[in-house]
Amino acid sequence: MAQQWNNQLNDIAGSLSWFIPELILALFLLLLIALALFKTNRTVLLTCCMAGFILSGVGVMATGLSTQATLFGGMTRVDGLASYLKILIDLAGFITCLMSFEKPSTHRAEYFALLMAVVLGGHLLVASTHFLMIFLSLELISLSSYVLAGYSFTKAGSEGSLKYFLFGSVASAVMLYGFSFLYGITGTLDFSSQVFFDQLIAKDVPMVLFAALMVLAGFLYKIAAAPMHPWAPDVYEASPIPVMAFLSVAPKLAGLGVLLKFVLAMNLFGQSSADWQAIVCAVLLLTITIGNFSALRQQNPKRLMAYSSIAQSGFLLVGVAAFLPQGVHFMLFYASVYLIMNFAVFVYLDFFEKKSITSIAGFSGAGKNLTWPSIGLLVGLIALTGLPPTAGFTAKLFIFSALWQSYELSGRALLLWVVVIGLLNTVVSLFYYLRIPYFAFLKSGEPAEKQNNITFQNLLGFILVLLLLTLFFIPGILMGWINKINFVL
Amino acid sequence: MQQYLLSGLLFTPLVAAFIALFLPSHASGTFKLVTLITCVIQVVLLLLMLSVYDSTGGLQFVEQHAWITLDLGSWGILKAEYLVGLDGLSLPLVSLTVGVMLITTLSSWTVEKNVKGYFILLLILNTAIIGTFAALDFLLFYLFFEFMLLPMFFLIGIWGGARREYASVKFFLYTLLGSILILVALIALYISVNDPSVPGRLVHSFNLLHMRDPKNFISNAILDPNNPWMIGPLSARYWAFLLLFIGFAIKLPMVPLHTWLPDAHVEAPTPVSVVLAALLLKIGGYGLLRIAYPIFPEAALYFSWLVALLGVISIVYGALTAMASKDLKRLIAYSSVSHMGFVLLGIASLTIEGVTGAVYQMVSHGIISAMLFLLAGVLYDRTHDRVIDNYSGLAAKMPVFFAAVLVAFFASMGLPGFSGFIAEVMVFLGAFKSGSANGLLHESFAIIATLGLVLGAAYYLWALQRMFFGPFHVKGDAAAIALTDLNNREYSMLVPLAIAALIFGIFPQPLISWINPFAQHFSDAVLTLGKSLTPIH
């Protein structure tokens, strides 16, 4: 008994050194809550929050992308994939801080603490290899985001927040139900363990697929993919733009990481009787198509971007659907570019919202007097469409190359259809991505007053846009780094 | 020095656009000047290049640099290069681009709305078009190809006519659809092709020259000619050819994928119409000759009847629709569809005459359509009315304009002495010969295509009769006063074009001596390689 305790304590102590980034985040979370007691000004809170994200990011980088360790008796695992996604999530939190110089006007300390909590949840989620850990970290993300979504403190905001909560609770409950079945069948909660595989191969019953689909539903909810997407537009529309930008990136990437691990685990290296490739392909085609076609008729830029983020989830899933290590690498590249382009667009949308341009038609004539922000927005949207010379094109090229490669290896006609339909969807997406520039440049209207365009926000947007262009011409600087990740299940 | 000439030609406009970005927007004259100077520099560079170009030397002015080299571990290396060069196909088209861009700049002198934006977009477009013709790396080609879309979208959408928004969006969507089809083929190709210059490693290359050689295909890759995959009734290589063909045919444009063209032309401002007709349409034919045919020769042979059939349909349908058009610009736009049909027919014949004729037709149509759209613009500038029936008896009121229209119309209908005649005659020679020489096309294709000439004469002469003969009449009194004859700026644009159309019609030899080595090599390579590859379909 004592020996066992001793071993466990040793394991925990040994794990803690790998756990430094998460400890930093937890520490800063507590610090922010403590600071809220004294009415500190915005600068202190903001600096504190950004410092937390930077330190955590540096901590992840210090552990490197090629290391691997199982922590806390199989609850979480440090590996390249998780570390890379952690860095992206930290970065998303950091940029959100940069966007939050003015908003919110009340409950600031709580706002930053909640951001911190979502990022912490994301860190834990991408590292989880244990069903209970997944549930805990997912709930940490969810509960914090429910509150963040209502941060405009309006009636619409509360409604959005409540909607998010109700949908989210149901999705979590369904997921948890699925967990319970899988636990019952395999007798373990650690889905990366050998026992889990052996049991699933031994007990190949239809119930496994049923339970796995229920779990998948919970993850699809998190990444806003069809058929679990309907909450996204309402929630996004109701939340303030920095929150919306954050919610469309951080939880999505975290959910994607765990979805990837789970799907690969359930696929049992191709030994599963269920066709997981077909399931992922069906989900992604549905997601891309629904997202794109729903976006066509939107009049509000925020709703448009909500549907765009749904469609982008589908494109991210293409990397999963390839079921190749290269597909995962390319998916991480896509995820990085998605982060940059999504934030670029939201930074500019925030800028235009401050100029009280809140509908797509309201952009009429904006290209004339707010030329530079309009051009920046154009580049961001072109990147989301996937046209050169932006990294959005490179990312799409890579991710579909992986799928094509997978088609060559397996010869499944389904994958060819995904390539063709996925790419043709780009044409549809151009139609709505171009709507804002269309109004800004082609329609003449009552243009906003000519103002100083050099604001901090524009500078931030400009840097992101520059990154998008740079990554098109030299993708090697990022891809070389991602390629170091040695991906294993 | 010589090897950097092409890059100089290519990037001068981009540098100029960058400089123009920082000039104050109220000094509108400077932008015109900067663009004009850029075009003049390009002309000088081009003349330097022409002076050293050896028409029998194959690819020249080749410049090659590493661009993207990604080591993807077990998957191999992904390699895209900055690889440009000119041969007997691209040199005439690049020369055409430089010339037309100079004239376009002159034609843009009257632009008043947002001058800065207009000329910057024009300069970017200039680089993109030359880049498309010069690129020998598929990814680089695709970059320039897509890069034309945005400037063009804004040039039509901001400076266009009443329905400009509709026309620009339609243009963008059609072209993007085409380029997505090309993208699918591009992905399939670079995954299947290995760069032999790096031994020991698998190098996924975008190099168009490597893609032509069946030896460079990775064995059992999807597009491997020795062991191609079947997808439904056809092999993957045939599908890839069809994707490229449709993608480029939208650009050409070919019936029934042409419907974006009349709208874009009618709504675009005159200089943009000129660029669109004279240069952008050529990229369709160029893509077939540079990419689709040499890489998939066996599919090209198999589908030659289809290409020729669609070409003939374009010729006849375009001409018939032109005859029914009430709007002068629409008439010219449909005549372009008809003339581009000859390019398809010439390529499909795969004879030296036919291919030479197709390239000749691209250059000739570039010159003549530029002139036609400038003339339509002359009329529109004065009266803001392009409806043919609203004019009558213009010959007496504007004699010089009438003379210019006469030249342009006759040149376009292929009257001997003009460049169009040489081009169309060679296409016919090729199409007739194809049946006996390589057994690809039945003579009836050529016979039906001659209908295009008759119809061409009919719609041009009918338009002449309605607009220029009879008693003078114009709708509206203000229009009657506004109708003055050509001014000096218009002379400076139209006279060089008319002279060029005449020179290439009377002394075709210099241009043919450029194109001919390419045409020989091209038709030889496609025929021999196409027949040697297993015809699985």
Side-chain angles (χ1 to χ4, degrees), chain B residues 104-295:
Chain B
T104 307
T105 309
L106 291 176
S107 161
S108 307
W109 225 251
T110 49
V111 169
E112 277 163 10
K113 186 174 164 187
N114 194 355
V115 179
K116 181 177 181 176
Y118 179 89
F119 281 96
I120 287 178
L121 288 174
L122 203 61
L123 286 166
I124 294 175
L125 191 63
N126 190 336
T127 289
I129 296 173
I130 294 181
T132 314
F133 288 137
L136 294 171
D137 181 277
F138 207 162
L139 194 67
L140 192 66
F141 171 89
Y142 194 78
L143 162 69
F144 286 123
F145 186 77
E146 292 268 280
F147 211 56
M148 288 183 310
L149 297 186
L150 268 185
M152 209 59 197
F153 170 72
F154 287 122
L155 283 172
I156 298 174
I158 300 179
W159 288 272
R163 284 167 71 239
R164 56 178 184 267
E165 289 108 353
Y166 169 76
S168 57
V169 171
K170 193 170 177 181
F171 162 78
F172 204 155
L173 286 179
Y174 260 80
T175 323
L176 185 71
L177 179 69
S179 61
I180 290 296
L181 299 180
I182 296 171
L183 180 64
V184 176
L186 179 149
I187 293 177
L189 266 171
Y190 96 87
I191 286 180
S192 303
V193 172
N194 175 43
D195 182 348
S197 62
V198 187
R201 282 298 298 273
L202 200 58
V203 180
H204 296 285
S205 166
F206 287 94
N207 190 324
L208 283 173
L209 305 175
H210 291 326
M211 289 178 180
R212 287 178 191 177
D213 190 345
K215 286 199 290 294
N216 291 334
F217 280 83
I218 300 159
S219 64
N220 289 325
I222 184 157
L223 294 180
D224 178 14
N226 298 316
N227 187 15
W229 287 39
M230 301 297 292
I231 301 174
L234 293 171
S235 84
R237 283 177 65 83
Y238 286 62
W239 286 113
F241 174 81
L242 282 179
L243 287 176
L244 289 175
F245 174 65
I246 296 171
F248 289 123
I250 289 177
K251 201 84 201 165
L252 195 63
M254 173 193 82
V255 176
L257 305 169
H258 65 288
T259 55
W260 60 272
L261 182 81
D263 287 310
H265 266 319
V266 169
E267 300 307 328
T270 304
V272 179
S273 275
V274 170
V275 175
L276 187 59
L279 306 176
L280 259 58
L281 303 192
K282 307 303 168 290
I283 288 160
Y286 174 81
L288 291 179
L289 288 166
R290 173 71 77 210
I291 298 171
Y293 268 66
I295 297 179

Side-chain angles (χ1 to χ4, degrees), chain A residues 334-480:
Chain A
Y334 198 105
S336 325
V337 173
Y338 171 73
L339 181 144
I340 300 170
M341 57 195 182
N342 223 35
F343 269 109
V345 168
F346 278 119
V347 166
Y348 283 116
L349 283 185
D350 202 20
F351 172 82
F352 282 110
E353 200 183 62
K354 288 204 180 101
K355 300 267 180 278
S356 59
I357 295 174
T358 50
S359 71
I360 292 179
F363 277 88
S364 302
K368 204 152 196 169
N369 285 335
L370 304 169
T371 312
W372 283 106
S374 303
I375 291 177
L377 186 60
L378 171 73
V379 177
L381 292 168
I382 284 298
L384 282 170
T385 318
L387 293 183
T390 62
F393 169 74
T394 322
K396 279 218 169 67
L397 176 73
F398 282 168
I399 210 160
F400 280 105
S401 299
L403 196 62
W404 190 281
Q405 183 80 359
S406 177
Y407 168 62
E408 271 200 15
L409 292 174
S410 70
R412 294 192 67 174
L414 171 72
L415 299 179
L416 187 69
W417 283 110
V418 176
V419 172
V420 172
I421 297 175
L423 283 175
L424 284 181
N425 254 292
T426 309
V427 183
V428 180
S429 73
L430 178 80
F431 197 79
Y432 65 84
Y433 281 130
L434 220 61
R435 272 177 66 87
I436 293 176
Y438 171 82
F439 275 95
F441 292 102
L442 267 53
K443 292 274 186 188
S444 49
E446 302 269 316
E449 276 174 53
K450 196 158 189 159
Q451 281 156 332
N452 183 16
N453 279 340
I454 306 170
T455 62
F456 174 75
Q457 265 177 323
N458 271 332
L459 201 66
L460 176 61
F462 185 69
I463 292 171
L464 293 172
V465 161
L466 220 55
L467 264 176
L468 283 179
L469 298 177
T470 315
L471 281 178
F472 171 76
F473 288 103
I474 25 180
I477 48 173
L478 187 61
M479 209 52 219

Side-chain angles (χ1 to χ4, degrees), chain B residues 253-455:
Chain B
M254 173 193 82
V255 176
L257 305 169
H258 65 288
T259 55
W260 60 272
L261 182 81
D263 287 310
H265 266 319
V266 169
E267 300 307 328
T270 304
V272 179
S273 275
V274 170
V275 175
L276 187 59
L279 306 176
L280 259 58
L281 303 192
K282 307 303 168 290
I283 288 160
Y286 174 81
L288 291 179
L289 288 166
R290 173 71 77 210
I291 298 171
Y293 268 66
I295 297 179
F296 302 109
E298 80 278 31
L301 293 186
Y302 180 69
F303 286 117
S304 58
W305 63 274
L306 181 70
V307 177
L309 179 68
L310 289 167
V312 170
I313 290 176
S314 295
I315 292 172
V316 177
Y317 180 84
L320 285 174
T321 326
M323 201 181 293
S325 300
K326 294 190 169 63
D327 182 305
L328 184 59
K329 261 189 157 179
R330 199 167 272 270
L331 180 143
I332 303 170
Y334 278 113
S335 90
S336 289
V337 175
S338 180
H339 286 117
M340 289 295 105
F342 284 102
V343 175
L344 278 182
L345 185 62
I347 296 174
S349 78
L350 278 177
T351 53
I352 297 167
E353 295 91 327
V355 175
T356 311
V359 181
Y360 210 99
Q361 173 77 332
M362 291 206 275
V363 177
S364 152
H365 179 261
I367 296 165
I368 296 168
S369 66
M371 205 174 159
L372 287 168
F373 277 110
L374 286 173
L375 287 165
V378 165
L379 204 58
Y380 184 74
D381 281 347
R382 286 162 174 68
T383 62
H384 295 279
D385 185 6
R386 288 181 309 251
V387 179
I388 295 171
D389 287 339
N390 286 349
Y391 297 96
S392 145
L394 285 180
K397 183 89 175 174
M398 304 167 77
V400 187
F401 175 69
F402 172 57
V405 172
L406 215 55
V407 170
F409 276 15
F410 282 156
S412 186
M413 67 177 89
L415 208 70
F418 293 104
S419 55
F421 173 72
I422 307 285
E424 279 160 26
V425 158
M426 284 199 291
V427 169
F428 281 126
L429 283 179
F432 271 116
K433 187 181 156 192
S434 166
S436 54
N438 50 32
L440 287 176
L441 302 182
H442 193 264
E443 282 79 2
S444 54
F445 283 119
I447 294 169
I448 300 171
T450 49
L451 254 181
L453 292 188
V454 182
L455 290 170

